Amino acid sequence: MTIKTLLPTSSFAGLTGNPWSAKADKIQSATGLLLGCFLLAHLHFESSILLGKDAFYQVVQILEGGMFSESGHGFPLVTKIFSVFILLVVILHAAVALRRFPAQLGQWRALRRHMNGINHKDSHAWFWQLVTGFILFFLAPVHIFTMITNPEIGPHLSAERVYLDNAWLLYALLLPAVVIHAMIGLYRVAIKWGFTANRTGLRKVIKFMIIYLITIGVLSLVSYLFIGAELTTPVQPYVPN
Ligand code: HEM
């Protein structure tokens, strides 16, 4: 016999919780999973600059559908449209995540007390996800809006943005915040939905991924800075020989 059959409707609302809450939980996990996978692909595509200008140029042409154009050059419109889609997913993810945010000073104090009182690794991870989520709230839209309004990507055009337009400053803050947030998020989704019960093993994988992704991200940024420093204005898009 279930609780529902034992109790009158009015008395089980507090016990069973709001059905919207379970739905919001699923939306948060699904959008988080999508964004986490996107970030893994994004940082790898983008760090192809480490293999040289030609490699990055080819990656961009493939992603922007260069095979469908007569000139072989991709369409920045593809980047624009995909960026709008990612922005919508980010907004949905943030909207459902907001309900978990400690809203008052008292709630923050209680969280700090709880964190100091227990040495539970997953609670600490959750705290860092909260802090990085807060940072991303401000930084991620700036980057995505730039990709919507100025979707030109390439070895020279990206280096121009990073070096001459000083986007490196944004990326230097965004990179650690988004990598930590996304990797802890993927860990929590995997545990929450029962993909694995091996927390210790998964924590090691996540720590490795955080260091690995930040390393390739920083090296890529440095590459763009070097390329950007050699550019002359007005910057001409890179054309392979
Ligand atoms: C579909 C939307 C997006 C597009 C088209 C895009 C494209 C790019 C490109 C081309 C770069 C290289 C530098 C440049 O050209 O300015 C870059 C860098 C970066 N993007 Fe995105 N991005 C998108 C969404 C995101 C999102 C949602 C995040 C995370 C919140 C993100 C995080 C980063 C980071 C951290 C860097 C710097 C990477 C490094 O340090 O090497 N991007 N992005």
Side-chain angles (χ1 to χ4, degrees):
M1 203 178 278
T2 64
I3 292 175
K4 268 192 182 186
T5 52
L6 278 174
L7 299 172
T9 323
S10 57
S11 53
F12 65 75
L15 289 175
T16 52
N18 190 331
W20 159 244
S21 188
K23 226 175 261 170
D25 239 24
K26 282 194 188 121
I27 295 174
Q28 195 178 348
S29 291
T31 50
L33 195 63
L34 185 69
L35 290 170
C37 294
F38 164 75
L39 186 76
L40 282 173
H42 176 335
L43 289 182
H44 282 100
F45 289 144
E46 192 255 324
S47 63
S48 60
I49 194 69
L50 295 174
L51 302 174
K53 289 183 186 181
D54 276 335
F56 183 60
Y57 176 87
Q58 291 305 341
V59 168
V60 175
Q61 297 318 310
I62 292 170
L63 292 177
E64 290 188 339
M67 63 284 244
F68 300 113
S69 82
E70 281 181 12
S71 64
H73 294 296
F75 306 95
L77 182 67
V78 174
T79 299
K80 206 185 243 291
I81 293 170
F82 188 66
S83 301
V84 171
F85 168 71
I86 289 292
L87 181 65
L88 293 176
V89 179
V90 168
I91 291 173
L92 184 59
H93 183 72
V96 283
L98 267 180
R99 79 212 143 95
R100 297 189 184 278
F101 239 78
Q104 292 162 354
L105 195 60
Q107 290 174 320
W108 275 106
R109 286 205 184 112
L111 180 64
R112 286 265 304 277
R113 263 200 311 278
H114 172 73
M115 297 266 301
N116 291 335
I118 60 158
N119 190 17
H120 185 240
K121 290 195 174 80
D122 284 6
S123 299
H124 287 255
W126 182 75
F127 176 77
W128 284 112
Q129 212 193 2
L130 202 71
V131 171
T132 50
F134 183 73
I135 296 171
L136 288 175
F137 206 78
F138 301 95
L139 298 186
V142 179
H143 174 48
I144 306 175
F145 273 125
T146 311
M147 300 319 302
I148 293 171
T149 53
N150 184 14
E152 274 77 25
I153 302 173
H156 288 176
L157 300 175
S158 291
E160 178 185 17
R161 192 166 26 236
V162 173
Y163 182 78
L164 297 175
D165 300 344
N166 289 316
W168 65 269
L169 202 56
L170 171 70
Y171 294 145
L173 300 172
L174 183 59
L175 178 68
V178 75
V179 167
I180 291 171
H181 187 84
M183 291 304 110
I184 295 179
L186 289 180
Y187 166 84
R188 286 165 50 82
V189 167
I191 298 295
K192 181 171 187 172
W193 300 106
F195 296 130
T196 174
N198 181 2
R199 289 178 188 237
T200 315
L202 193 59
R203 265 200 294 269
K204 280 187 190 147
V205 175
I206 291 304
K207 275 184 196 159
F208 169 81
M209 287 305 292
I210 289 177
I211 294 169
Y212 163 69
L213 292 173
I214 291 182
T215 305
I216 60 168
V218 168
L219 292 177
S220 309
L221 265 192
V222 172
S223 297
Y224 289 119
L225 289 175
F226 275 114
I227 297 171
E230 287 174 355
L231 292 174
T232 49
T233 49
V235 174
Q236 297 302 318
Y238 176 77
V239 183
N241 294 322

